[in-house]
Amino acid sequence: TSITASHAITIDLPIDQCQKLFTPAGEERWVDGWSPRYLHPADGRTSEGMVFMTGAGDEVTVWTLAAYTQNPHRARYTRVTSASRWGFVDVECEAISEAATRVTVRYSMHALSAAGEVVLEAFEPERYAAMIDGWKHAIDTRLGELRTAVIR
């Protein structure tokens, strides 16, 4: 089973600042429980080729930042959860004003097992849109502190 799901949200931050929120270090600031273990570079500095892990048990996931550009503002992550699925996560940021950014998040995932097929059900369009809208809510809730955050 394979899926591709895409959804866009608007974040009330300038594009350069907004893009940093969708890096591993940036997500530590607004995703509850997000605690990547940085393998390369060990300090978690955002750079093309960085490798980190998340999760535990059958949900251990190895991520690589395969591509990262700031003009255009794009990132492509590869992710492998070996017990169930692998794929790509693409994040594209587009300035819609000096103070707001449209962020499109696209997952392209492939099941590796029956467990992976169950996980991919969460990528059904309405459920996926609700998940990404939840990201916007989490960011909006912390927007005051995120405006001044220094993200590596």
Side-chain angles (χ1 to χ4, degrees):
T1 302
S2 297
I3 60 90
T4 298
S6 182
H7 187 67
I9 55 178
T10 299
I11 304 297
D12 292 327
L13 287 172
I15 192 168
D16 289 335
Q17 197 173 7
C18 184
Q19 183 183 30
K20 290 178 183 179
L21 294 182
F22 294 90
T23 65
E27 290 189 16
E28 287 182 66
R29 303 228 177 220
W30 60 268
V31 177
D32 292 333
W34 177 259
S35 184
R37 295 176 302 284
Y38 296 106
L39 303 175
H40 174 76
D43 66 0
R45 180 178 20 89
T46 299
S47 59
E48 198 166 286
M50 75 181 300
V51 180
F52 59 99
M53 295 172 61
T54 59
D58 285 347
E59 285 299 304
V60 168
T61 301
V62 178
W63 299 75
T64 301
L65 181 52
Y68 185 75
T69 60
Q70 293 179 304
N71 192 13
H73 291 73
R74 294 184 181 152
R76 172 168 255 207
Y77 296 89
T78 62
R79 52 162 292 154
V80 178
T81 308
S82 63
S84 64
R85 61 205 181 274
W86 73 273
F88 301 99
V89 180
D90 294 291
V91 179
E92 296 182 17
C93 298
E94 177 187 359
I96 56 176
S97 73
E98 287 187 16
T101 303
R102 181 179 180 85
V103 180
T104 302
V105 182
R106 182 176 42 260
Y107 275 70
S108 300
M109 302 291 292
H110 310 277
L112 299 174
S113 64
E117 290 180 17
V118 171
V119 172
L120 295 189
E121 290 174 8
F123 291 86
E124 175 275 323
E126 287 181 11
R127 291 171 70 186
Y128 179 76
M131 178 181 79
I132 302 302
D133 288 342
W135 293 9
K136 175 179 173 42
H137 176 74
I139 291 168
D140 286 349
T141 300
R142 296 167 176 87
L143 201 54
E145 65 193 65
L146 293 172
R147 286 187 192 286
T148 59
V150 176
I151 299 171
R152 62 184 181 281

